[in-house]
Amino acid sequence: MKLLITGITTQSSIAFAVAEEAMKQGHEVILSNPPGRQLSILERIAKRLPAEPVDILGLDVTDPDQVTAAAKAVAGHWDHVDGLLHSIAYAPAEALGGNFLETDWEDVATAVHVSGYSLKALAVGFRDLMAEAPDGAGVVSLTFDASRAWPVYDWMGSAKAVLENSTKYLARDLGPQNIRVNALAAGPIKSLAGGSIPGFDRIADRWGESAPVGWDTSDASVVAGPALFLMSPAARGITATTLHVDGGHHAMGAPVEGL
């Protein structure tokens, strides 16, 4: 497969685990991050991947011109894209950590734009390349169960709700071009993204208590296989779905430890 993977921030991130596993399986990968500091970080981290050197693009998904330019750059390498991983999320500090009632609209708008609306921008920007995939293409985004309210997650939770609902509408509108769109709701991983949320450990440290098969907050690789599956032709009948990769936590009504 030919895969575009966005949003690697550290070696502990889910996106890195997906890229690493994809390369081990022999897939071709192009990476992207916003220009500036995040792109420089990606260039350093990418050297730790098994198929280094890897092509890297500067891409700020909130800038339509950059999305268009990135699609053109990818088209210079490949005649189609089989899979696209949306691993992009950001909310200002004022929108997190228990500030839900005090957050201003400007901060909410930033969270929704970067973490939710950008899925539509990215999928539409690469639509033509994905439509050329011989076995259909798969778009996968990363979410954190937006069906419930979590401590400290606040407006990022609302932005993820936009992301998850947009998955259904994108699946509806892109399906006729054989483009599938799914979300993957992972359990908490202690990476830069999680660490940027004040009080995140309140969620992460007790997750395993309600996960029947357990949960290792330091192991992002458990998410990589399911993400690649959803981007692959093996998932050709799956779209508009949120797949939980969380140790079973989402289905439990109470902690299972000690039962």
Side-chain angles (χ1 to χ4, degrees):
M1 294 191 295
K2 302 178 188 299
L3 307 175
L4 174 66
I5 296 177
T6 68
I8 293 178
T9 51
T10 66
Q11 193 169 347
S12 62
S13 69
I14 292 174
F16 183 94
V18 175
E20 184 175 47
E21 182 60 26
M23 290 176 178
K24 288 179 180 178
Q25 294 183 15
H27 303 304
E28 298 179 61
V29 172
I30 292 177
L31 307 176
S32 78
N33 254 6
R37 181 173 178 271
Q38 291 185 60
L39 188 62
S40 298
I41 290 172
L42 175 59
E43 289 170 346
R44 292 197 300 272
I45 294 174
K47 295 176 181 178
R48 303 169 191 170
L49 288 165
E52 195 274 330
V54 58
D55 290 312
I56 295 173
L57 296 174
L59 171 57
D60 179 347
V61 290
T62 66
D63 183 338
D65 291 338
Q66 289 194 35
V67 174
T68 299
K72 288 181 179 178
V74 171
H77 291 268
W78 300 334
D79 60 358
H80 71 274
V81 169
D82 297 294
L84 190 161
L85 180 71
H86 177 282
S87 176
I88 299 166
Y90 170 76
E94 292 77 11
L96 300 164
N99 295 318
F100 190 86
L101 298 180
E102 287 75 38
T103 307
D104 292 332
W105 165 243
E106 289 77 9
D107 294 322
V108 173
T110 296
V112 171
H113 190 181
V114 177
S115 309
Y117 178 83
S118 64
L119 175 64
K120 191 281 295 187
L122 196 62
V124 172
F126 283 83
R127 171 175 49 183
D128 291 345
L129 277 167
M130 291 191 291
E132 296 297 323
D135 298 310
V139 177
V140 177
S141 65
L142 301 179
T143 186
F144 187 72
D145 194 0
S147 68
R148 62 191 71 193
W150 297 100
V152 307
Y153 209 47
D154 295 350
W155 285 102
M156 181 62 86
S158 297
K160 291 296 189 180
V162 171
L163 180 85
E164 291 183 24
N165 194 255
S166 298
T167 294
K168 300 177 176 66
Y169 285 96
L170 286 166
R172 179 196 69 183
D173 291 349
L174 298 179
Q177 294 176 271
N178 206 13
I179 300 170
R180 296 168 289 101
V181 187
N182 294 290
L184 196 157
I189 298 295
K190 290 190 175 181
S191 63
L192 181 63
S196 66
I197 300 171
F200 178 75
D201 288 349
R202 290 171 55 190
I203 301 173
D205 288 346
R206 302 195 65 179
W207 195 268
E209 296 175 10
S210 297
V213 296
W215 187 255
D216 183 352
T217 59
S218 66
D219 182 14
S221 67
V222 71
V223 187
L228 291 172
F229 162 71
L230 288 175
M231 287 188 278
S232 77
R236 59 189 176 277
I238 303 174
T239 195
T241 294
T242 297
L243 175 66
H244 292 269
V245 183
D246 64 354
H249 183 286
H250 70 282
M252 299 298 107
V256 296
E257 281 196 354
L259 292 181

